[in-house]
Amino acid sequence: MKKLSVIFLILAMLLAGCGQAKEEPAANVDLTAFYESVAEMQGLEGMVALEGEMLEACFPGLADIETQQLVAYAPMMSANVNEYVFVQCNSAEDAAAVGKILQERVDMQANGGAWYPESMAAWEKAKVIVNGNYALMIATWEGADEIVEKFEALL
């Protein structure tokens, strides 16, 4: 009888989830603060926030995805390749959809949209990263790998 009670107790614990590893909550990164640290590190000046019609013109469909945080900056001069988009979505699926939109921007700019050969070459080196509920696009002349490493360290 004792053995039977122990077996039932073990089964009850397994069904209740006792002993199972719990998922760690995803890190919550302040994307505005992250952008500000990138701007300082890169010495960015003359950047403007992409919002409303400007955001939609550069990233069609992005405004249709509900986000928790959306930080997007670009230079006033289009020949200056320095675009940064940092997004926190409500789900990994939404982040993947944002990643696709960001990659479409990179591909379009690298394939003639940036007009100047040097600018197109810089866009070819742009990074699009999707990690959990986050999606990032970093298009810059240099330092993109360092920015990616800095972000991943926050997660």
Side-chain angles (χ1 to χ4, degrees):
M1 188 67 160
K2 274 187 174 181
K3 288 182 182 179
L4 192 55
S5 296
V6 169
I7 291 173
F8 282 124
L9 182 59
I10 291 171
L11 285 173
M13 288 174 60
L14 288 173
L15 290 174
C18 290
Q20 291 182 353
K22 298 192 179 184
E23 281 188 34
E24 292 293 319
N28 193 18
V29 178
D30 180 344
L31 296 179
T32 299
F34 181 69
Y35 170 76
E36 289 169 355
S37 71
V38 167
E40 183 177 330
M41 179 176 75
Q42 294 287 94
L44 300 176
E45 295 178 11
M47 302 290 282
V48 295
L50 298 176
E51 300 171 323
E53 291 178 9
M54 284 179 58
L55 184 69
E56 187 62 25
C58 292
F59 303 97
L62 184 57
D64 297 334
I65 298 172
E66 187 176 333
T67 61
Q68 292 182 23
Q69 298 181 76
L70 172 59
V71 177
Y73 281 88
M76 288 189 246
M77 301 271 305
S78 64
N80 185 5
V81 180
N82 271 320
E83 283 190 25
Y84 302 87
V85 180
F86 306 138
V87 183
Q88 180 184 16
C89 298
N90 292 324
S91 69
E93 292 80 19
D94 285 347
V98 168
K100 183 179 176 188
I101 291 168
L102 299 177
Q103 188 62 54
E104 288 171 357
R105 169 74 172 166
V106 169
D107 294 343
M108 190 267 306
Q109 292 294 91
N111 293 315
W115 291 51
Y116 305 106
E118 297 85 5
S119 297
M120 288 186 292
W123 274 98
E124 287 174 2
K125 297 176 186 176
K127 305 286 183 194
V128 174
I129 306 297
V130 176
N131 187 330
N133 291 1
Y134 293 92
L136 287 75
M137 184 197 77
I138 302 152
T140 185
W141 294 101
E142 57 186 47
D145 290 332
E146 185 179 352
I147 296 167
V148 170
E149 287 174 18
K150 187 175 181 178
F151 182 78
E152 289 179 342
L154 294 174
L155 297 178

